[in-house]
Amino acid sequence: RLRTVTGVQTCALPILGYALYARKTLAKQRQSRELLSVAPLAVSMDGQARRELEAAAGKDRIKLRIELECTSFSLAAAAVRTGSHAAILPDIVPVSALGDDVIRQSLPVRFGYSRQISACWHRATGDRLATLVSKALLAAWADGRELDAAEKLLSLELDP
């Protein structure tokens, strides 16, 4: 779904949701509902997302153990890598980027916060590459895969 507006081309990508990530040693076979209430959590969300997460957890009677508030998802992901915390991250984060023993679980609460994201570029500065990357991202999401397809595409040499 590409569209052009005054030389700028955009492509709406699938809606970005969130998931729970943790090292297996921290998760200890727990399902996400129990893990949310037992494991120390690292979160990195704006005010609205945080409020919605806490409200959804409250409705489902889950007491969150938020122990680390990060200024970015990268810092929350680093806390997962250390094994000290579980984190709520965008669901497109590849588990492999966090470590061999990291798991991703769906959030058990009725967490309705999501974001629509888009790729955009100016036609004069890379229309072909941007189109290919956007299509790879769409394909990766549509197939339920991680972003390996986009990474492979970026390594291709493109004809001028």
Side-chain angles (χ1 to χ4, degrees):
R1 294 178 220 139
L2 301 177
R3 66 180 198 158
T4 303
V5 179
T6 61
V8 175
Q9 195 159 8
T10 65
C11 176
L13 299 172
I15 293 175
L16 178 68
Y18 295 90
L20 179 62
Y21 293 78
R23 285 205 174 269
K24 290 177 185 175
T25 53
L26 183 61
K28 297 181 182 174
Q29 305 296 323
R30 295 181 183 111
Q31 295 302 312
S32 57
R33 182 179 181 83
E34 181 184 4
L35 187 57
L36 273 175
S37 61
V38 174
L41 290 175
V43 294
S44 174
M45 296 186 208
D46 62 29
Q48 181 184 357
R50 173 76 177 269
R51 284 190 301 276
E52 288 192 32
L53 174 65
E54 289 176 340
K59 287 178 188 172
D60 287 345
R61 298 177 190 218
I62 297 173
K63 180 156 175 44
L64 302 174
R65 280 193 57 199
I66 297 173
E67 293 189 3
L68 183 61
E69 294 181 5
C70 302
T71 57
S72 69
F73 286 121
S74 297
L75 292 174
V80 172
R81 275 189 219 98
T82 68
S84 63
H85 291 77
I88 297 171
L89 301 170
D91 58 8
I92 62 167
V93 173
V95 172
S96 59
L98 301 177
D100 292 336
D101 65 338
V102 171
I103 59 164
R104 173 179 42 212
Q105 296 182 1
S106 298
L107 290 173
V109 296
R110 289 168 256 159
F111 182 55
Y113 190 77
S114 59
R115 295 177 189 224
Q116 176 68 57
I117 58 174
S118 297
C120 65
W121 60 94
H122 193 277
R123 292 182 59 86
T125 60
D127 186 41
R128 184 158 186 252
L129 176 62
T131 301
L132 290 171
V133 170
S134 296
K135 286 180 180 177
L137 288 169
L138 285 169
W141 265 313
D143 292 346
R145 296 187 314 250
E146 295 171 355
L147 299 181
D148 296 334
E151 292 173 24
K152 288 176 187 168
L153 188 60
L154 287 172
S155 68
L156 295 176
E157 291 185 29
L158 301 173
D159 296 328

